[in-house]
Amino acid sequence: MFERLEQIAARYEELGREMASDEVVNDHERYQKIAKQHRDLQPVVDSFRDYQRTKQGIADAQSMLAETDPDIRAMAQDELTQLEERLPKIEEDLKLKLLPKDPNDEKNVILEIRAGTGGDEASLFAAEIFRMYSRFAEQHRWKVEILSSSESGIGGLKEVIAIIEGDRVYSQLKYESGVHRVQRVPATETQGRVHTSAVTVAVLPEAEDVDVKIEAKDLRIDTFCSSGPGGQSVNTTYSAVRITHLPTGTVVSCQDEKSQIKNREKGMRVLRSRLYEIEMEKQQSALAKERKAMVGSGDRSEKIRTYNFPQDRVTDHRIGFTRHNLPGVLNGELDEFIDNLITVDQADKLQHLFEEEVSSGNGKAR
């Protein structure tokens, strides 16, 4: 690990020298690229330097313990105790910063919510889940735009697809894919019985043109009249768009805009992200053979969370984390759940990294 850190520190210094050269300064595009690499390495280098200073401080304090002056020895012992307490925390921070970054963490997301088992009650809960994520986005100053939606007759949502744009959206929401279950007494229940309903949530990183190459010959694009609210102009013009990706059979429909062009643009954003997800699933299935992660699998069929109204309880089943603050959670207070999911996922990756080092014979050397 420390050999790798030395290499990172050397590369950081090299990038700093390149940024100061006239050749790079005069090439704006190259300068921006190098500056980004420099910024990305800085947190690791800062922690490594802190580690080196702490190790040197421990060595200095230990040498001072040999002094004859009792005051100096007492001061050295205090310093040594403090530094030795800090060292494990610095080492843990270094390991976390050395973990491979998810290349999708910086991306916006396509959020898809669909009512599952439970009929009308499931559609009502789907609307509440969408509101929960919308409130969470507001708290983080992210932008939410609905790409497609289908309402139920009682004001719920059979399906809603939206894009959430902002700073590191996927890094926060990538653990939310799966089945969300609700347990409560529906408004239509006359005998007060608790019913169980479910919705499925899919969080896809928004793919760009460079991520997924789509050939025009692979697409079939159909237009049709939009349905639902919107007035005559929506229901009598062929503004709705259905895009079929022939090689995979993936179908995307969009009808929220009055403009066929805008609906096509929105549909293509969803299609790119779904095709990107297919490629990601192939990679993740290969990884899963090596390591079974506790969180982050993104399996839509996995029951990940239960919202129990009678007990005012929300439980994440992957990590056994429960909070008795259901109204707050449905109002967007998800940070505690997401922070715990990130912590567990990082611990799982650190354990895997440690096992790899031991199996390769580096564990003892370290």
Side-chain angles (χ1 to χ4, degrees):
M1 182 177 81
F2 295 110
E3 181 180 348
R4 183 182 171 194
L5 285 165
E6 293 284 2
Q7 294 171 351
I8 291 172
R11 177 58 178 158
Y12 178 78
E13 296 296 337
E14 181 185 347
L15 289 169
R17 289 191 295 271
E18 287 184 32
M19 288 170 60
S21 69
D22 292 338
E23 181 184 355
V24 173
V25 169
N26 294 327
D27 186 339
H28 179 71
E29 186 175 340
R30 186 180 172 192
Y31 181 87
Q32 292 296 325
K33 183 178 180 181
I34 293 174
K36 184 181 184 305
Q37 294 177 28
H38 192 260
R39 286 196 304 272
D40 290 344
L41 293 180
Q42 185 171 350
V44 179
V45 174
D46 286 347
S47 289
F48 182 43
R49 288 174 176 167
D50 190 18
Y51 172 83
Q52 289 175 314
R53 286 192 297 267
T54 303
K55 288 287 286 185
Q56 185 59 53
I58 289 173
D60 292 342
Q62 287 174 336
S63 66
M64 291 172 63
L65 290 176
E67 294 286 339
T68 56
D69 190 323
D71 291 336
I72 294 179
R73 287 202 308 272
M75 182 178 66
Q77 185 59 58
D78 288 343
E79 180 75 8
L80 182 62
T81 301
Q82 292 178 21
L83 292 174
E84 286 180 337
E85 287 177 355
R86 284 192 63 221
L87 190 62
K89 297 176 183 177
I90 297 172
E91 288 179 334
E92 190 71 15
D93 182 58
L94 264 176
K95 290 175 185 176
L96 288 174
K97 287 178 178 175
L98 282 174
L99 287 175
K101 289 186 177 180
D102 186 334
N104 294 315
D105 277 352
E106 303 289 337
K107 292 181 182 288
N108 300 323
V109 306
I110 302 292
L111 174 69
E112 301 184 353
I113 301 173
R114 293 180 177 84
T117 55
D120 287 340
E121 172 65 10
S123 73
L124 289 172
F125 187 55
E128 289 177 88
I129 289 293
F130 179 61
R131 178 181 176 275
M132 176 182 76
Y133 289 124
S134 298
R135 288 294 179 91
F136 181 71
E138 286 176 15
Q139 294 165 16
H140 289 261
R141 298 184 178 180
W142 298 337
K143 176 186 174 184
V144 179
E145 180 184 2
I146 295 177
L147 301 180
S148 175
S149 64
S150 174
E151 296 182 3
S152 67
I154 59 172
L157 288 171
K158 296 178 182 177
E159 175 186 273
V160 59
I161 302 174
I163 181 169
I164 304 181
E165 301 173 314
D167 182 36
R168 295 177 59 80
V169 181
Y170 186 72
S171 71
Q172 295 287 300
L173 292 181
K174 62 184 177 182
Y175 304 105
E176 295 300 297
S177 291
V179 175
H180 294 241
R181 184 177 67 170
V182 60
Q183 296 175 323
R184 64 181 172 187
V185 179
T188 55
E189 172 58 54
T190 57
Q191 299 181 26
R193 292 175 298 184
V194 174
H195 287 226
T196 298
S197 305
V199 305
T200 59
V201 174
V203 177
L204 318 179
E206 188 191 12
E208 301 174 8
D209 291 334
V210 295
D211 297 320
V212 178
K213 186 177 181 181
I214 301 176
E215 301 284 354
K217 62 181 176 63
D218 292 335
L219 298 178
R220 185 178 74 232
I221 300 177
D222 303 307
T223 58
F224 56 97
C225 292
S226 298
S227 60
Q232 278 189 321
S233 63
V234 171
N235 297 310
T236 60
T237 60
Y238 285 80
S239 59
V241 172
R242 182 185 299 109
I243 306 173
T244 304
H245 185 250
L246 299 175
T248 62
T250 304
V251 179
V252 172
S253 298
C254 191
Q255 63 176 31
D256 272 33
E257 298 285 347
K258 295 180 181 180
S259 164
Q260 184 185 121
I261 294 175
K262 288 184 178 179
N263 280 328
R264 177 169 173 162
E265 288 175 354
K266 287 184 173 183
M268 286 301 296
R269 294 176 80 173
V270 177
L271 178 63
R272 276 196 298 270
S273 295
R274 288 189 184 169
L275 295 179
Y276 185 51
E277 183 198 27
I278 292 172
E279 289 303 313
M280 284 176 57
E281 285 179 346
K282 291 178 183 177
Q283 297 172 14
Q284 289 172 355
S285 63
L287 178 64
K289 294 177 182 178
E290 303 175 13
R291 174 174 67 96
K292 176 61 177 175
M294 186 177 295
V295 298
S297 65
D299 186 349
R300 299 188 200 185
S301 64
E302 178 188 6
K303 182 185 73 178
I304 65 169
R305 198 173 292 150
T306 293
Y307 305 75
N308 186 298
F309 276 73
Q311 298 177 15
D312 184 31
R313 169 176 59 82
V314 182
T315 298
D316 195 292
H317 303 289
R318 295 164 294 179
I319 56 176
F321 183 74
T322 296
R323 278 293 173 266
H324 293 276
N325 180 27
L326 194 150
V329 172
L330 289 178
N331 201 39
E333 296 174 19
L334 282 170
D335 287 295
E336 198 171 8
F337 282 88
I338 289 173
D339 288 346
N340 277 278
L341 285 162
I342 291 173
T343 298
V344 171
D345 194 30
Q346 287 177 336
D348 179 70
K349 289 174 180 175
L350 280 173
Q351 178 63 27
H352 181 60
L353 184 64
F354 173 75
E355 290 171 357
E356 282 186 335
E357 289 183 349
V358 170
S359 64
S360 64
N362 294 329
K364 292 180 180 180
R366 197 164 56 88

